[in-house]
Amino acid sequence: MPNTRVTHFKPSAAHVAIIMDGNGRWATRRGLPRLAGHKRGVERVREVVEACPELGVTHLTLYAFSTENWKRAEDEVAGLMRLFRWYIRKEAAKLVEAGVRLRFIGNRSRLDEGLQKLMASVEDMTRENTRLNMTVAIDYGGRDEIIRATERMIDAADAGELKRSCLDEDTISRFMDTGGLPDPDLVLRTSGEVRISNFLLWQAAYAEYNFLDICWPDFTAETLSHCLENYNSRERRFGAVMG
Ligand code: IPE
Ligand code: IPE
Ligand code: MG
């Protein structure tokens, strides 16, 4: 792993999820096209991924494209899809080497076939890795995920594999796209917006949140380290009264 300039610090936020927002504004403020901001945003991912293991983060989930983002101009959507393909091609071997397991969540069926194949192949290549569990949300929406999970539960019930009496929170979690992954401890959003925009609606029920004023292309390993320090100073109560 290359040096990431992060001071040694042992946080307890094992799962960090990030809404990587503000690429467009970052570019526009510099007189650049929005896609230049998206490219810079994708380039930022590597440093953050590399910083996670030494910061004690075992799971990193990144929101890359929402079910609502299809409403954007055709050329912006096409540019983003090109960037996702570029990222997988460029990073796959490095992820294998760095011990990162990459998974995707979201409704894959609407993505073009070439991208779907690349996603499946990098998931396969990194399947045995355990140093960091990285999940990228593409064509992901929390509500869409709940619909698809419900469809899977109905199919399982029809097949006699799921009984109504077995329906509990753990069962529903298993049927979500994130089945098998822990819930996020800390959700970060860049860009200054204070909303969750359909991200991990079920999983982030008790997450801590941190809304940052910087745009995603300005996010560094050091920013992550500061967010984890801030997280460590919080008291998570989960509805109980602490003694
Ligand atoms: C986040 O940046 C990337 C995606 C949503 C795909 P934006 O493109 O939303 O940037 P802003 O919010 O317009 O600045
Ligand atoms: C959320 O950002 C989605 C991603 C970062 C992928 P948006 O820019 O799409 O969200 P809104 O439109 O500001 O809610
Ligand atoms: Mg945005």
Side-chain angles (χ1 to χ4, degrees), residues 206 235-243:
Y206 251 106
E235 183 182 58
R236 296 182 78 184
R237 298 194 190 132
F238 299 100
V241 177
M242 296 300 173

Side-chain angles (χ1 to χ4, degrees), residues 59-99:
H59 290 76
L60 175 71
T61 300
L62 300 174
Y63 201 7
F65 190 89
S66 75
T67 47
E68 288 70 35
N69 288 148
W70 294 110
K71 294 180 206 157
R72 295 189 179 195
E74 224 173 282
D75 62 336
E76 182 169 345
V77 171
L80 280 161
M81 297 299 152
R82 261 198 315 278
L83 278 171
F84 298 148
R85 287 193 291 268
W86 175 73
Y87 174 84
I88 297 172
R89 286 200 186 99
K90 183 169 70 73
E91 294 296 306
K94 289 188 189 79
L95 294 172
V96 173
E97 206 181 303

Side-chain angles (χ1 to χ4, degrees), residues 15-159:
H15 185 175
V16 177
I18 310 181
I19 303 172
M20 307 183 292
D21 194 21
N23 294 345
R25 273 164 281 182
W26 181 92
T28 307
R29 282 178 199 146
R30 285 162 179 78
L32 299 168
R34 291 178 57 86
L35 269 171
H38 293 313
K39 175 142 192 290
R40 182 62 75 100
V42 173
E43 287 167 353
R44 282 282 82 224
V45 170
R46 189 195 290 175
E47 179 179 312
V48 175
V49 167
E50 284 171 351
C52 282
E54 67 179 280
L55 288 169
V57 175
T58 57
H59 290 76
L60 175 71
T61 300
L62 300 174
Y63 201 7
F65 190 89
S66 75
T67 47
E68 288 70 35
N69 288 148
W70 294 110
K71 294 180 206 157
R72 295 189 179 195
E74 224 173 282
D75 62 336
E76 182 169 345
V77 171
L80 280 161
M81 297 299 152
R82 261 198 315 278
L83 278 171
F84 298 148
R85 287 193 291 268
W86 175 73
Y87 174 84
I88 297 172
R89 286 200 186 99
K90 183 169 70 73
E91 294 296 306
K94 289 188 189 79
L95 294 172
V96 173
E97 206 181 303
V100 179
R101 177 169 183 181
L102 176 57
R103 275 175 270 220
F104 296 93
I105 54 171
N107 185 348
R108 294 181 197 221
S109 63
R110 298 184 286 205
L111 301 172
D112 80 59
E113 232 174 85
L115 178 55
Q116 286 188 44
K117 280 191 182 140
L118 278 170
M119 287 159 65
S121 96
V122 73
E123 282 181 327
D124 218 46
M125 280 168 75
T126 61
R127 196 172 295 283
E128 303 300 322
N129 290 352
T130 54
R131 193 153 185 257
L132 175 69
N133 285 282
M134 174 181 177
T135 303
V136 175
I138 296 184
D139 192 11
Y140 175 87
R143 288 183 168 186
D144 181 67
E145 181 191 30
I146 289 168
I147 293 169
R148 288 182 294 97
T150 306
E151 288 168 352
R152 291 193 283 260
M153 286 187 277
I154 290 171
D155 288 345
D158 287 347

